[in-house]
Amino acid sequence: MTSSSGSPDPSGAQRRPLLNRRLAEFGTTIFAEMSALAVRTGSINLGQGFPDTDGPEEVREAAVRALRDGRGNQYPPGPGVPELRQAVATHQQRRYGLSYDPDTEVLVTAGATEAIAAALLALLEPGDEVVALEPYYDSYAACIAMAGGTRVPVTLRPHEGTDGDGGAVHRRFRLDLDELRDAVTGRTRVLLINTPHNPTGTVLTREELSAIAELAVERDLLVVTDEVYEHLVFDDAEHIPLATFPGMRERTVTIGSAGKTFSFTGWKVGWVTAPAELVGAVRSAKQFLTYVSSGPFQYAVAEALALPDAYFESFRQDLQAKRDLLSEGLAEAGFAVYRPAGTYFVTTDIRPLGESDGFAFCRALPERAGVVAIPNAVFYDHRAAGAPFVRFAFCKQREVLEEAVKRLQHLAY
Ligand SMILES: *Cc1c(COP(=O)(O)O)cnc(C)c1O
């Protein structure tokens, strides 16, 4: 076998690497290494972000019913089943006052992952630049590369403040608007935004979003916005879709997903909402990736989206309590905690523990404490900027988080 870095053939000449140059830099995802480490050491895996309990029973039953009734067992329609497209349109209207035509302005995808890939493959010409918030979700860089684009990271910077009355410390990763403005060039085609943001847990504020919108309008950019954590916001944080800002609906591809909102990450049902012309472009790429997927699950997700507000509220409350449990436990263990305003994740700074290399820390943590976490540096181009940060997932059962917290208390020296 040839390795991806190329190896000599019998004649001694260097053979061409199997993996093409666009993908060679990406290697294997860190989640594979860390999950294997978790199994080998019997550690609690707070690395990958998937819930350890399934979503609502009635939604699971809806999938069983669809499957038994023979709905979706054969290729569903290319744009998605009408029931789900209607449910997505109704959801956008009910939550945000955004109006989309279910027939022409909604597209169902194989999770948000395919929506991101299809959008970038559809919208980019080779050489186009994509400005994306760093650290970023791991598929962004690879999809930009597959589309022949060039990524231009804008780094979210850690910020520390205190209450007006000199009380508690608040830490948050925030967008430097000047840095964002400077990143846009004549070659920029797409702004790729993610809010609520994985891995930092930041929810972009109205001011930040408004500045992004103004820039997009001023420079006539397309915006692809990954809002898969739209329902997972805590305290008084508010998720505001970018498409609601002036001049944005017509240039914005909004991406949603059932995986995180309903705790069925294996179903891979996602969607795009955008004006017909943009949806048409994304569909052009999507039809040759999966064509269609998740037939019976599409009907179940249509029902899930119509669940009463009480479902979304109780899920949010439950997750918020878990965030508090893990954040407080990590703080007690000596980490500097960036208490997240949204998502499944809490980012920590390991420097108060006398550490500075997140990679080394995460590789040693299973042996030291029996817990697996992810070094945020894997989500950065500027690795040094992410070096001291480590991400823990809290979408786990309470007892699991309690046990993890207990194990981590022995870290401080
Ligand atoms: C989990 C996640 C996705 C992938 O969503 P799927 O619907 O499972 O494909 C996309 N973006 C972000 C930021 C995520 O955290």
Side-chain angles (χ1 to χ4, degrees):
M1 278 306 295
T2 8
S3 80
S4 64
S5 58
S7 59
D9 71 10
S11 72
Q14 196 70 18
R15 275 180 68 186
R16 184 179 136 176
L18 289 177
L19 185 61
N20 70 50
R21 229 175 287 147
R22 294 188 301 287
L23 288 175
E25 69 169 292
F26 297 108
T28 307
T29 134
I30 184 84
F31 299 106
E33 179 190 344
M34 288 302 173
S35 294
L37 195 58
V39 171
R40 199 165 69 239
T41 57
S43 294
I44 296 175
N45 191 352
L46 303 185
Q48 209 167 6
F50 61 88
D52 58 359
T53 40
D54 285 349
E57 188 54 33
E58 66 262 43
V59 175
R60 198 157 58 170
E61 282 308 314
V64 171
R65 239 184 303 116
L67 202 133
R68 287 225 171 90
D69 295 349
R71 286 178 296 142
N73 292 331
Q74 309 302 331
Y75 293 140
V81 305
E83 288 84 346
L84 178 52
R85 281 184 276 124
Q86 180 62 60
V88 168
T90 302
H91 171 271
Q92 297 305 91
Q93 180 71 56
R94 179 165 66 112
R95 308 281 309 191
Y96 309 120
L98 281 166
S99 159
Y100 289 100
D101 178 347
D103 290 328
T104 58
E105 299 185 317
V106 179
L107 174 67
V108 176
T109 57
T113 306
E114 189 195 33
I116 293 158
L120 294 170
L121 287 167
L123 300 176
L124 296 180
E125 292 288 358
D128 282 346
E129 291 178 356
V130 178
V131 172
L133 307 182
E134 173 187 69
Y136 31 60
Y137 183 63
D138 62 345
S139 83
Y140 295 176
C143 287
I144 293 167
M146 286 193 274
T150 303
R151 63 184 186 272
V152 178
V154 172
T155 310
L156 296 177
R157 305 285 178 190
H159 175 77
E160 215 169 274
T162 48
D163 276 345
D165 51 18
V169 180
H170 294 292
R171 298 188 185 85
R172 169 176 193 268
F173 283 79
R174 66 178 182 188
L175 179 59
D176 182 325
L177 297 171
D178 291 327
E179 218 177 299
L180 177 69
R181 232 169 264 126
D182 290 346
V184 174
T185 73
R187 289 180 301 281
T188 308
R189 178 68 168 162
V190 169
L191 292 182
L192 176 52
I193 304 297
N194 169 216
T195 185
H197 183 263
N198 174 9
T200 63
T202 287
V203 176
L204 294 178
T205 62
R206 185 177 290 281
E207 291 65 37
E208 287 169 326
L209 291 163
S210 175
I212 292 171
E214 276 169 32
L215 181 65
V217 170
E218 180 192 315
R219 305 298 296 267
D220 195 21
L221 304 172
L222 296 170
V223 175
V224 175
T225 174
D226 176 345
E227 304 184 356
V228 302
Y229 295 103
E230 63 189 305
H231 289 286
L232 311 190
V233 293
F234 311 128
D235 308 323
D236 52 2
E238 186 191 0
H239 170 69
I240 313 169
L242 261 173
T244 61
F245 287 80
M248 290 303 282
R249 186 190 183 282
E250 66 247 43
R251 65 181 69 251
T252 301
V253 174
T254 303
I255 294 172
S257 171
K260 308 293 165 51
T261 298
F262 300 110
S263 303
F264 287 112
T265 57
W267 288 10
K268 296 299 284 189
V269 177
W271 51 85
V272 162
T273 48
E277 209 184 344
L278 277 169
V279 160
V282 177
R283 198 168 64 216
S284 295
K286 183 258 183 317
Q287 67 187 335
F288 298 123
L289 293 174
T290 58
Y291 177 47
V292 292
S293 59
S294 307
F297 298 129
Q298 291 192 28
Y299 292 96
V301 171
E303 292 191 29
L305 281 169
L307 286 171
D309 290 347
Y311 163 74
F312 297 93
E313 181 54 23
S314 84
F315 184 52
R316 203 184 62 77
Q317 296 275 353
D318 178 59
L319 207 57
Q320 180 170 311
K322 290 172 172 177
R323 172 205 62 172
D324 292 342
L325 195 170
L326 186 60
S327 299
E328 276 145 34
L330 288 166
E332 273 164 38
F335 295 84
V337 174
Y338 287 79
R339 193 185 174 87
T343 78
Y344 276 171
F345 306 107
V346 53
T347 282
T348 59
D349 187 334
I350 57 176
R351 283 174 291 192
L353 291 164
E355 305 268 353
S356 55
D357 177 351
F359 272 106
F361 180 80
C362 287
R363 289 207 169 98
L365 194 59
E367 291 293 345
R368 283 179 74 189
V371 174
V372 162
I374 296 290
N376 283 27
V378 300
F379 305 120
Y380 285 78
D381 278 316
H382 305 107
R383 292 262 157 137
F389 302 112
V390 165
R391 188 193 85 174
F392 295 84
F394 52 83
C395 48
K396 307 292 176 185
Q397 294 172 68
R398 242 194 125 74
E399 312 80 73
V400 172
L401 296 174
E402 279 164 359
E403 175 61 23
V405 162
K406 202 164 84 193
R407 293 182 184 190
L408 288 165
Q409 299 312 310
H410 309 297
L411 279 179
Y413 51 94

